[in-house]
Amino acid sequence: KSCQKPVDKYIEYDPVIILINAVLCKAQAYRHILFNTKINIHGKLCVFCLLCEAYLRWLQLQDSSQNTDPDDLIRYAKEWDFYRMFGIASLEQTSFFIGIFITLWWMAPEMLKRKSDFILLLKALLLSTYGKLLLIPAVIWEHEYTPLCLAFIKVFVLISNSQAIRVTLNLNRILPWFAIFFGLILENGVVCLFQKMGWDV
């Protein structure tokens, strides 16, 4: 019913081919992963991606403040800035997801009638943020193109989120992008709020 085909062709495929097709953002691969596999790594993947993002921000924060004051070194040793960056990244992602849920609930309430629909969509969104793992090689192979790489990673994650929404709720292409756009507005609102509070984001 979800695949709209007589049979899910990916049942016979090797997991590596399924993963490659998912990286290529093929809708049928997403359907197979979400509906016909028992993947239970949503929470762990989310935490790991947030840790990668927090580390990248923490690294940029240290680069921007080249201070050799001993008190400053002690402060970094305690890693409070890293935990703060993890909290900020978590709040930003939460606000992004809330923006998506509000938009979809407002535009297509019949798609999110049951609690199980919300849970399935949340799992799909968490799985589709796997592109943030690319932050690790971006940090390791640091070069002058790093900002461009980070922009490409962000676009890739948004495309994956769009496919996850489309496949989960069986929607056309426009509504998922509208929901993502509203989620980005809410996320940027949270960033502006932190900046007004004087926090480095």
Side-chain angles (χ1 to χ4, degrees), residues 5-189:
K5 301 278 181 189
V7 125
D8 179 9
K9 68 177 183 178
Y10 285 100
I11 287 176
E12 297 180 347
Y13 282 28
D14 191 75
V16 176
I17 295 173
I18 296 168
L19 182 63
I20 290 169
N21 283 325
V23 169
L24 294 172
C25 292
K26 292 197 173 181
Q28 204 169 353
Y30 272 81
R31 281 191 194 99
H32 173 76
I33 291 168
L34 291 172
F35 295 111
N36 295 332
T37 58
K38 303 245 184 249
I39 294 180
N40 249 342
I41 59 166
H42 312 90
K44 292 175 187 174
L45 182 65
C46 175
V47 170
F48 192 70
C49 289
L50 287 173
L51 285 171
C52 293
E53 196 168 340
Y55 178 74
L56 183 68
R57 291 175 182 208
W58 182 68
L59 200 64
Q60 290 172 342
L61 184 67
Q62 286 196 55
D63 289 344
S64 65
S65 58
Q66 297 291 335
N67 194 348
T68 56
D69 183 13
D71 293 336
D72 203 47
L73 293 173
I74 291 169
R75 186 166 62 92
Y76 280 127
K78 291 181 180 176
E79 299 177 358
W80 289 115
D81 281 335
F82 176 76
Y83 299 132
R84 184 168 58 90
M85 291 299 156
F86 181 81
I88 290 170
S90 303
L91 284 172
E92 284 178 12
Q93 183 163 335
T94 302
S95 61
F96 176 68
F97 287 168
I98 287 172
I100 288 173
F101 279 112
I102 288 171
T103 307
L104 291 173
W105 184 72
W106 177 56
M107 299 289 287
E110 69 281 356
M111 297 289 180
L112 296 169
K113 289 179 185 173
R114 299 181 304 274
K115 183 181 175 182
S116 60
D117 297 331
F118 280 99
I119 292 171
L120 181 64
L121 182 57
L122 179 61
K123 285 180 177 179
L125 286 170
L126 290 175
L127 275 178
S128 65
T129 58
Y130 69 91
K132 289 184 179 179
L133 296 177
L134 295 171
L135 292 171
I136 298 170
V139 170
I140 292 171
W141 301 323
E142 187 177 350
H143 47 73
E144 62 269 15
Y145 301 115
T146 300
L148 185 62
C149 291
L150 298 180
F152 277 129
I153 291 169
K154 180 76 174 174
V155 169
F156 177 72
V157 170
L158 292 177
I159 291 170
S160 297
N161 291 151
S162 167
Q163 282 292 66
I165 295 168
R166 187 173 156 232
V167 164
T168 306
L169 301 179
N170 203 12
L171 297 170
N172 60 12
R173 293 177 192 270
I174 297 169
L175 188 54
W177 278 111
F178 186 73
I180 285 171
F181 179 71
F182 189 75
L184 284 173
I185 290 173
L186 201 58
E187 180 184 348
N188 288 327

Side-chain angles (χ1 to χ4, degrees), residues 189-199 201:
V190 170
V191 170
C192 290
L193 181 66
F194 286 138
Q195 287 172 344
K196 283 187 178 178
M197 291 167 62
W199 290 12
V201 180

